[in-house]
Amino acid sequence: MKIGALRESYEGEARVAVTPSSATHLQKLGHEVVIEQGAGARAGFSDEEYRRSGVTVVPTAAELIGQADVVAKVRQPTEAELRQMRAGQTVISFFYPAQNAELLALAKEQGVTAIAMDMVPRISRAQKMDALSSMANIAGYRAVIEAANNFGRFFTGQVTAAGKVPPAKVLVVGAGVAGLAAIGASVSLGAQVHAFDVRPEVAEQIESMGAEFVFLEFDQPVQDGAATGGYAAPSSPEFREKQLAKFRELAPQMDIVITTALIPGRDAPVLWTRDMVEAMKPGSVIVDLAAEKGGNCELTVPDERIVTENGVTIIGYTDFPSRMAAQASELYGNNIRHFLFDLTPKKDGVIAHNMEDDVIRGATVAHDHDITWPPPPPKVAAIAAQKPKEKKRELTVEERRAAEAVAFQGETRRQVALLAGGGALLLLIGLVAPVSFMSHFIVFVLACFVGFRVIWNVAHSLHTPLMAITNAISSIIILGALIQVGSGSAWVTILGALAVLMASVNIFGGFLVTRRMLAMFQKS
């Protein structure tokens, strides 16, 4: 089948749904790829680059829609584009069905199968198709870049001959995908980062990235995001008041505030009020990633950058992913091609729209002259709740001593039995073996015993590096083998050569494994 990518008609949109690299993967699935002329130009992909990847370039959108079986876009299709599509044709794009009821009805009327990339279920198997997370990751990173561009000082602290420069203090509100990306970028630039989220379970993630989690003392438990597709659930009025009070306390201290609190399909909650903005220092920056839905900051103006009377810059851009069009297009193109991989199970270029599949069904909002949104909950098997372990009774001092005595006696019996058995075995061997053999054999047995006891007491997590370096060091036997190679006996020479070969493999292999393991802990 033919997969076609349209040039985005939305003003300012620079992304493209299919890139030259993703087109190559689609062709491996047996599909032909068609793209409208100039579709990738604003993302840095020329028509010639597409042609070199085996993509057919057509001059107009109408011609592409007429040829393609599947039309891929970034933004939701316009009414004009949907009216040009025929029954049985598929369109894949962001669709936002809750806000686009008229487009949904038109898709039903036209008999078009509409796949909304914003409706991909947030389950483990669908992570590679999660376009919302891909774009949120870019938005979080770009938010830090925009903040740095508008901030008049360094992010990192410095001590110079001219004086000491304190690090910038950054507050990230919301630790979803965008928030974590913003935290990572801010920390890497050297800022002192604080982060807040209504889900206390993300505190460990935040702190592992080098940021400080802002704890809120509140007795009422906060709901998790299971009911909202992995997003934080709306909080109670009491929790919100406590939250705002904490932000008012932090506002005068922060240089940069990045807000990311947004649930798709809902208006953004106002978390940074006018009085908080007025309390901030001149030169401070607020980047509002929820501006498209009204903004988390009370003074945010969508698609604009404004400066308040007290000198605070508020950035309300709604096109952060599009400002990094090349990277955003690559990630979105990969999301599309992974989805088409599921739609092409036999890799024969034939689309099989399996409505029994959780991911395909969840993302399909219109199909076969019917509106299929909202989807049923994914048929994911719930993990059986584990029975609580019974707490063991604390032993008294006398009971612990008695248990230790029994364990010691048992260990002593085992050691005595081993020594007796080993001594008897050595006596039996000594009856028939020469004296020179016995002296070497005893050293060998002692070496095995000591080595076994040493390795046995090492933690399992250290076995691989320990064994690797032990292999290398123990291969000192290569010296003995080299001496024996010059022996007059052919058999001794052959055995010596084999020993040299095996010891060499041991040496090089041991050090190679050790080096690779050490490289895992080095920064690139």
Side-chain angles (χ1 to χ4, degrees), residues 32-249:
E32 294 180 52
V33 183
V34 185
I35 193 163
E36 184 183 352
Q37 185 176 357
R42 286 175 288 181
F45 306 114
S46 65
D47 291 343
E48 186 56 36
E49 194 173 350
Y50 280 104
R51 291 190 181 96
R52 287 197 299 269
S53 298
V55 178
T56 303
V57 180
V58 298
T60 64
E63 187 174 341
L64 183 140
I65 293 173
Q67 291 185 26
D69 300 292
V70 178
V71 177
K73 282 178 55 61
V74 179
R75 298 274 183 166
Q76 60 263 33
T78 64
E79 183 178 337
E81 289 167 341
L82 271 180
R83 289 196 182 279
Q84 293 179 62
M85 295 182 187
R86 60 187 180 273
Q89 203 168 16
T90 299
V91 58
I92 302 179
S93 69
F94 284 109
F95 207 97
Y96 303 108
Q99 291 87 50
N100 291 293
E102 293 180 0
L103 279 181
L104 205 56
L106 182 57
K108 172 187 175 181
E109 179 186 330
Q110 295 289 112
V112 172
T113 294
I115 296 174
M117 292 303 291
D118 51 287
M119 291 300 298
V120 171
R122 305 198 101 183
I123 58 178
S124 297
R125 184 169 69 85
Q127 286 181 349
K128 59 188 176 183
M129 313 170 210
D130 190 353
L132 282 176
S133 292
S134 297
M135 297 303 103
N137 182 31
I138 293 174
Y141 174 84
R142 182 69 187 198
V144 177
I145 302 303
E146 293 289 344
N149 187 47
N150 286 273
F151 186 55
R153 296 195 288 108
F154 291 139
F155 262 52
T156 184
Q158 293 188 7
V159 178
T160 70
K164 183 179 178 182
V165 179
K169 291 187 177 181
V170 177
L171 173 64
V172 178
V173 180
V177 176
L180 292 175
I183 291 168
S186 300
V187 169
S188 66
L189 287 175
Q192 184 179 335
V193 184
H194 299 73
F196 174 84
D197 197 280
V198 298
R199 299 163 297 173
E201 62 269 18
V202 303
E204 187 176 345
Q205 287 179 281
I206 290 169
E207 291 171 351
S208 69
M209 297 181 72
E212 180 181 336
F213 183 69
V214 177
F215 285 95
L216 195 64
E217 295 181 4
F218 193 74
D219 295 333
Q220 181 180 337
V222 180
Q223 292 180 331
D224 62 23
T228 51
Y231 296 93
S235 52
S236 66
E238 295 79 12
F239 182 88
R240 173 179 162 77
E241 288 304 316
K242 196 80 173 179
Q243 181 182 27
L244 294 180
K246 187 66 175 179
F247 290 161
R248 287 189 180 95
E249 178 187 331

